[in-house]
């Protein structure tokens, strides 16, 4: 669905570059091979980032994160991308509605493939038009400096004294 959405936007003449960040597998899915051929030099990065800081640099350079996942327990990569300023385009399922504040949901969620393509096209044609600062502020609550005391308190409450 992700690559089909990219192709639909590309077919409409919308220019974009790609950073395809992720783990390299022994057997590369056919969709990735097709994308390498189709987008060629528009792929600025392909595969695993060398380090967490390299991964973060790619996120800070990006401005939109189209997500088509059907399996995700929490959405760590989505939270990281939002923190770095990416506008998420999310399916309205899984854990994503729990991450995005209700008032931001209309601009971040899509219901079906056609809406994903429309939102992706608009985000690519008008980058950074959407103010995601409130969303970034929300995901700051997941920073370890804020979460560690919460976890410590929960773990202490479970200990038998």
């Amino acid at each position: 669905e992700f690559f089909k959405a990219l192709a639909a936007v590309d077919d409409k003449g919308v220019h974009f570059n790609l950073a395809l960040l992720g783990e390299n597998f022994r057997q590369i899915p056919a969709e990735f091979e097709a994308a390498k051929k189709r987008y060629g030099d528009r792929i600025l990065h392909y595969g695993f980032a060398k380090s967490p800081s390299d991964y973060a640099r790619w996120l800070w350079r990006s401005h939109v994160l189209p997500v088509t996942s059907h399996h995700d327990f929490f959405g760590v990569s989505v939270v990281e991308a939002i923190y770095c300023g990416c506008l998420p385009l999310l399916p309205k399922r899984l854990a994503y509605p729990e991450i995005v504040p209700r008032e931001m949901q209309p601009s971040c969620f899509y219901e079906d493939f056609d809406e994903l393509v429309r939102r992706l096209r608009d985000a690519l044609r008008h980058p950074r038009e959407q103010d995601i600062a409130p969303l970034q502020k929300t995901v700051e609550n997941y920073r370890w400096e804020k979460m560690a005391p919460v976890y410590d308190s929960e773990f202490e409450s479970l200990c038998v004294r």
Side-chain angles (χ1 to χ4, degrees):
E1 193 171 58
F2 171 76
F3 288 115
K4 284 171 55 177
L6 286 180
V9 170
D10 191 37
D11 290 345
K12 294 179 189 305
V14 177
H15 177 75
F16 57 87
N17 291 313
L18 290 169
L20 295 171
L21 297 166
E23 188 174 350
N24 292 322
F25 297 96
R26 291 177 208 242
Q27 187 175 358
I28 299 170
E31 297 86 358
F32 283 83
E33 288 299 317
K36 280 173 80 172
K37 288 179 186 166
R38 178 170 183 154
Y39 304 113
D41 61 355
R42 291 190 284 168
I43 298 177
L44 305 178
H45 182 84
Y46 182 90
F48 202 71
K50 295 177 197 146
S51 66
S53 60
D54 189 39
Y55 178 75
R57 273 192 292 281
W58 282 109
L59 291 180
W60 282 107
R61 289 180 60 186
S62 302
H63 75 272
V64 64
L65 175 72
V67 176
T68 57
S69 301
H70 287 275
H71 180 80
D72 198 339
F73 290 111
F74 170 71
V76 171
S77 60
V78 171
V79 168
E80 291 170 336
I82 292 168
Y83 181 81
C84 293
C86 294
L87 171 67
L89 299 178
L90 305 166
K92 197 167 190 172
R93 59 180 178 253
L94 307 173
Y96 306 130
E98 298 169 26
I99 295 170
V100 177
R102 191 173 306 279
E103 65 275 6
M104 295 288 296
Q105 289 186 6
S107 60
C108 296
F109 287 105
Y110 62 87
E111 295 286 340
D112 57 27
F113 180 77
D114 291 335
E115 188 176 6
L116 167 62
V117 170
R118 181 181 55 77
R119 287 179 180 266
L120 180 57
R121 181 197 65 217
D122 292 347
L124 292 170
R125 283 186 176 158
H126 309 286
R128 309 271 187 220
E129 193 169 273
Q130 173 94 26
D131 178 21
I132 67 160
L135 190 52
Q136 284 178 288
K137 188 157 183 60
T138 297
V139 299
E140 280 184 15
N141 291 322
Y142 295 111
R143 289 180 58 96
W144 184 245
E145 295 83 5
K146 292 186 179 190
M147 291 303 300
V150 173
Y151 280 115
D152 287 346
S153 176
E154 286 295 318
F155 290 142
E156 285 178 18
S157 74
L158 296 172
C159 293
V160 177
R161 294 182 188 230

